[in-house]
């Protein structure tokens, strides 16, 4: 760790950083209004159905992490969920549309998945018993989790051709599960309909017109079952974005039926692709995903403004993730960057694949110990509020920055990702209230460290006139400087579970607002400005 992180005096910085080690950057935060908003449970994680026999690339990384076999009594699991207060959890995945529910009228034995070469994704149908459903819901009630459950949307349909399924949805088994859930007062927040059946589908597909009719049926079931009590949201289709298919789904289902449109993103390639790490550190490559977020936002605005965009599943690298990247510090650059990008386009929920399971779990599949991305998600959840703020950045594209209203202490929270392996950035943060058009036009020409240091005095607005205000800084770096480390450092100290297995506290370093921020090479920095004058956050 660099010594400067422990020294809040900006005047000491020049003696600690050689001139060739950093580049000056100015960030202008436009706090006069918010450009988008997220939900309180924006951070979401998934639990999948994959059994231990799920294998990719000569590895089988799922172990006992399925909805059917996960150790629900492990205290580390409960503590990891509780730390978010609350964490949204989405139960679903590829085998979702082969799941039966062990209700009294099922009419067949309730058995788990087994490998069958002729089955969808190489597995037979599987079944969840009501005893297991009870145990899962008890865990979530006790930990305060917010639950989205994915229903089987292929039940009753027939395969019409290669990968194409037709016919109406048979809702009887799902209805019985939902009736039981209501009778037990299990607080399901949302029912999601189907998994990756949109467009051409993954393994199977269903036409948008039939899908829309079936969603209307699901909405009617929910209205009848829940009566005058709070009704769970209807969420669909949980697939890869296809503009024409998604637009048609909204047109067919009609107003106020589909509350949220979920889509899946795996933009880093296959789990065994040797380019995964390079893509994570390529700002141009990362930025391509914005096209999907923007297009979905526009489709919803034009065809179903009553709905909201969600990312229902995103794991970076598909097929269980990358065994060398997905559980390391390096992966947090992709993850946090996509949280920031998606939020700018009004995404309300972002579900990470997975909470546990595969190579991309926030928790280690075997030990339940948090991987680096867990702490990245927790810091975002605690610091970045719902309101999204635009900003202007001078300098290198390798410094990616996002601003939100502060979550707990007001003001503004800023996330900065330095994708450069060799260059640090000395960042001066300005408020657009205190910068005129002429200054904005010349912002990219500001390069002097001393000049930038002098000009930060009035960045926060009228609230910081006495120079005594502090900001909070959270610097994340990899242990030993190794980007593939499984341990992340916060302000130089390792983040590890306590002796009692509790999630560690995440204390910041307090620094004068009048000093610039140094973002080290290949590091992540959250900064909270409690006194930042942002009118958009005060409305």
């Amino acid at each position: 760790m660099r010594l400067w992180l422990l020294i809040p005096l900006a005047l000491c910085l020049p003696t600690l950083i050689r001139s060739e080690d950093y580049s000056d950057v100015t960030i202008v935060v436009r706090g006069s209004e918010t450009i988008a908003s997220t939900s309180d449970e924006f951070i979401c994680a998934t639990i999948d159905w994959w059994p231990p026999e799920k294998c990719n690339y000569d590895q089988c990384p799922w172990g006992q992490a399925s909805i059917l076999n996960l150790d629900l009594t492990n205290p580390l699991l409960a503590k990891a969920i509780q730390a978010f207060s609350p964490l949204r959890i989405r139960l679903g995945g590829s085998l979702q549309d082969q799941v039966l529910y062990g209700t009294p009228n099922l009419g067949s034995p309730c058995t788990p998945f087994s490998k069958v070469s002729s089955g969808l994704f190489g597995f037979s149908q599987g079944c969840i018993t009501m005893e297991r459903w009870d145990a899962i819901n008890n865990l979530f009630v006790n930990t305060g989790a917010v639950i989205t459950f994915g229903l089987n949307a292929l039940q009753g349909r027939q395969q019409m051709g290669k990968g194409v399924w037709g016919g109406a949805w048979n809702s009887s088994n799902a209805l019985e599960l939902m009736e039981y859930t209501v009778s037990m007062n299990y607080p399901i927040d949302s029912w999601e309909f189907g998994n990756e059946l949109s467009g051409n589908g993954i393994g199977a597909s269903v036409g948008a017109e039939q899908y829309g009719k079936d969603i209307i049926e699901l909405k009617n079931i929910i209205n009848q079952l829940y009566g005058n009590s709070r009704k769970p949201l209807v969420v669909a289709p949980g697939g890869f974005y296809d503009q024409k298919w998604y637009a048609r789904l909204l047109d067919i289902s009609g107003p106020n039926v589909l509350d949220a449109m979920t889509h899946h993103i795996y933009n880093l390639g296959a789990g065994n692709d040797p380019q995964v790490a390079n893509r994570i550190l390529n700002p141009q490559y990362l930025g391509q995903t914005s096209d999907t977020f923007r297009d979905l936002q526009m489709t919803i605005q034009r065809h179903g403004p009553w709905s909201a965009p969600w990312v229902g599943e995103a794991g970076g690298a598909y097929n269980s993730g990358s065994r060398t990247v997905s559980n390391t510090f390096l992966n947090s650059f992709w993850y946090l960057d996509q949280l920031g990008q998606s939020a700018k386009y009004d995404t309300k929920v972002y579900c990470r694949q997975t909470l546990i399971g595969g190579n991309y779990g926030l928790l280690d599949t075997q030990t339940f110990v948090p991987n680096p991305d867990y702490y990245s998600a927790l810091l975002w959840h605690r610091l970045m509020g719902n309101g999204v703020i635009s900003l202007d950045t001078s300098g290198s594209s390798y410094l990616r920055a996002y601003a939100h209203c502060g979550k707990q202490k007001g003001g503004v929270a800023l996330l900065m990702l330095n994708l450069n392996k060799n260059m640090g950035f000395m960042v001066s943060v300005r408020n657009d209230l205190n910068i005129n058009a002429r200054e904005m036009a010349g912002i990219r020409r500001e390069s002097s460290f001393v000049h930038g240091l002098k000009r930060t005095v009035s960045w926060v607005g009228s609230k910081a006139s006495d120079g005594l205000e502090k900001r909070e800084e959270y610097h994340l770096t990899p242990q030993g400087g190794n980007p593939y480390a499984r341990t992340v450092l916060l302000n130089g100290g390792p983040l590890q579970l306590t002796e009692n297995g509790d999630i560690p506290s995440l204390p910041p370093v307090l620094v004068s607002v009048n000093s610039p921020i140094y973002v080290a090479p290949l590091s992540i920095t959250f900064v909270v400005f409690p006194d930042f004058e942002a009118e958009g956050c005060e409305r």
Side-chain angles (χ1 to χ4, degrees), residues 260-374:
M261 296 203 82
T262 44
H263 66 117
H264 295 179
I265 297 180
Y266 287 88
N267 64 312
L268 297 180
N272 67 341
D273 192 321
Q275 294 303 313
V276 167
N278 292 333
R279 288 173 183 147
I280 288 175
L281 297 179
N282 183 333
Q284 286 74 34
Y285 187 88
L286 292 181
Q288 294 172 8
T289 314
S290 284
D291 293 340
T292 300
F293 298 131
R294 182 187 302 106
D295 288 352
L296 177 56
Q297 182 188 37
M298 293 178 61
T299 296
I300 290 175
Q301 289 173 348
R302 292 171 179 172
H303 296 268
W306 54 84
S307 191
W310 288 18
V311 173
E313 185 181 307
Y318 59 82
N319 286 343
S320 305
S322 167
R323 74 171 86 184
T324 60
V325 176
S326 294
N327 55 12
T328 71
F329 175 79
L330 182 63
N331 203 61
S332 280
F333 290 95
W334 154 80
Y335 178 39
L336 288 171
D337 186 72
Q338 209 163 94
L339 291 177
Q341 283 190 67
S342 63
K344 287 169 59 178
Y345 296 98
D346 222 31
T347 299
K348 303 303 183 186
V349 170
Y350 187 105
C351 296
R352 166 64 181 266
Q353 176 85 342
T354 60
L355 175 60
I356 187 167
N359 293 309
Y360 37 34
L362 297 180
L363 306 177
D364 182 89
T365 303
Q366 304 300 323
T367 65
F368 291 72
V369 170
N371 284 320
D373 282 3
Y374 175 88

Side-chain angles (χ1 to χ4, degrees), residues 120-159:
L120 196 61
F121 302 108
F123 288 92
S124 69
Q125 285 188 325
C127 181
I128 180 171
T129 66
M130 291 301 94
E131 291 77 14
R132 182 65 178 180
W133 185 236
D134 291 337
I136 289 172
N137 279 281
N138 287 336
L139 170 67
F140 295 151
V141 168
N142 291 335
T143 56
V146 176
I147 302 305
T148 298
F149 183 80
L151 294 166
N152 180 344
L154 281 184
Q155 186 69 7
R157 306 190 201 275
Q158 300 81 39
Q159 189 166 358

Side-chain angles (χ1 to χ4, degrees), residues 21 99 133 155 245 295 325 372 393 396 486 490 506 518-519:
D21 283 339
V99 177
W133 185 236
Q155 186 69 7
W245 196 100
D295 288 352
V325 176
T393 306
S396 172
R486 297 284 300 277
L490 173 61
L506 305 174
Y518 182 68
V519 184

Side-chain angles (χ1 to χ4, degrees), residues 96-97 151-155 157 169 193-195 197 206 211:
Q96 169 180 321
D97 297 303
L151 294 166
N152 180 344
L154 281 184
Q155 186 69 7
R157 306 190 201 275
W169 175 52
F193 188 65
N195 183 84
L197 301 174
V206 176
Y211 216 97

